């Protein structure tokens, strides 16, 4: 990445093709850093700066719930979390998306404290940034958050107006990505084509205790469904949808095993000390 040509996140690289393998904001962030310095160290510095900003955002958010001493302690624990430190040093989107998610939470809390249509419109715009980095946050930004606005201000006539102002800002901003994908692929792609189907199916065939190890590669290469997919010649969009259907069918056949995998993954995700794994594989 540090030695290659400058790559625009919006246009295909030379010899490449249009894709939606990743939501747009983090690639745009990397492109901005690399346009200033073609150095992997520059990416680390930028990541750490975003991480430091996140600690301040976390502090300001915590201070709305706790006193200043409690907020400082909470921010210190957040800043020193081992996995947070790990991701700050890698060219992965976790640190960047954490900052945008905290920004959305902070904007929402400020709007709730001093509600107005303008405040909630700004909060909606801020909330749309996290799913533009990772569409896993889309149900929060366009679902849970506006419902939360209605619940927090239940009994007030303005609640519906404020929730509508939130959605009026959030939906069109995120919609630019959906519109771009529809224009390029002539089909609906809400998030990224390396998301739902691919990750869901891979998670079903890779046990928690071998994810991120060489055994994962061996299991993936031996899997009959993935071997069948390799010979179909499908596009990224078609491949993701094909794998999603296969994953849903497998879950329907083995619902108990799926629930067990979910429980194990939850425990693994919240383990305070990182495993010795290749964290390019997050499942």
């Amino acid at each position: 990445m540090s030695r290659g040509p400058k790559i625009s996140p919006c246009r295909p690289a030379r010899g490449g093709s249009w894709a939606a393998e990743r939501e747009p904001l983090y690639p745009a962030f990397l492109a901005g850093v690399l346009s200033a310095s073609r150095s992997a160290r520059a990416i680390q510095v930028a990541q750490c700066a975003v991480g430091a900003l996140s600690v301040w955002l976390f502090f300001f958010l915590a201070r709305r719930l706790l006193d200043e001493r409690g907020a400082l302690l909470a921010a210190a624990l957040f800043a020193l979390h081992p996995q947070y430190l790990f991701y700050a040093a890698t060219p992965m989107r976790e640190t960047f998306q954490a900052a945008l998610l905290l920004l959305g939470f902070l904007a929402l809390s400020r709007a709730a404290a001093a509600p107005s249509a303008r405040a909630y419109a700004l909060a909606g715009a801020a909330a749309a940034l996290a799913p533009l980095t990772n569409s896993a946050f889309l149900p929060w930004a366009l679902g849970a958050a506006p419902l939360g606005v209605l619940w927090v201000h239940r009994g007030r006539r303005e609640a519906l107006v404020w929730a509508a102002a939130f959605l009026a800002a959030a939906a069109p901003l995120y919609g630019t990505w959906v519109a771009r994908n529809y224009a390029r692929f002539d089909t609906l792609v809400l998030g990224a084509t390396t998301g739902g189907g691919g990750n869901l199916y891979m998670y079903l065939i890779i046990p928690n205790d071998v994810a991120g190890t060489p055994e994962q590669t061996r299991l993936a290469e031996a899997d009959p469904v993935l071997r069948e997919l390799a010979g179909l010649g499908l596009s990224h969009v078609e491949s993701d949808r094909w794998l999603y259907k296969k994953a849903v069918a497998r879950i329907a056949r083995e619902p108990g095993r799926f629930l067990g995998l979910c429980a194990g993954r939850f425990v693994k995700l919240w383990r305070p000390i990182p495993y010795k794994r290749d964290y390019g594989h997050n499942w």
Side-chain angles (χ1 to χ4, degrees), residues 98-226:
L100 295 181
L101 186 62
L102 286 168
L103 179 65
F105 278 133
L106 185 59
L108 264 173
S109 68
R110 290 173 65 89
S116 69
R118 179 178 180 276
Y120 273 116
L122 291 174
L129 299 178
L132 282 169
T133 306
N134 186 341
S135 52
F137 297 119
L138 188 59
W140 166 73
L142 298 185
L147 288 175
V149 174
L150 293 174
W151 184 81
V152 167
H153 301 294
R154 60 194 181 279
R156 296 190 62 171
R157 289 180 299 175
E158 304 94 332
L160 189 60
V161 174
W162 294 337
F166 180 94
L167 283 172
L173 182 55
Y174 187 83
T176 58
W177 174 241
V178 180
R180 174 265 189 192
N181 291 338
Y182 191 85
R184 289 295 165 188
F185 309 121
D186 198 28
T187 190
L188 184 65
V189 179
L190 287 177
T193 56
T194 53
N199 278 354
L200 182 60
Y201 184 80
M202 187 68 76
Y203 169 62
L204 293 175
I205 67 170
I206 304 299
N208 287 326
D209 58 344
V210 302
T213 69
E215 180 68 6
Q216 173 179 317
T217 302
R218 189 193 69 77
L219 290 173
E221 290 176 346
D223 183 76
V225 171
L226 294 179

Side-chain angles (χ1 to χ4, degrees), residues 50-76:
V50 172
L53 173 64
S54 298
V55 175
W56 279 103
L57 292 172
F58 191 91
F59 169 75
F60 292 136
L61 185 61
R63 197 168 60 176
R64 304 188 74 86
L65 304 173
L66 309 169
D67 60 19
E68 187 156 332
R69 182 177 296 180
L72 282 171
L73 178 60

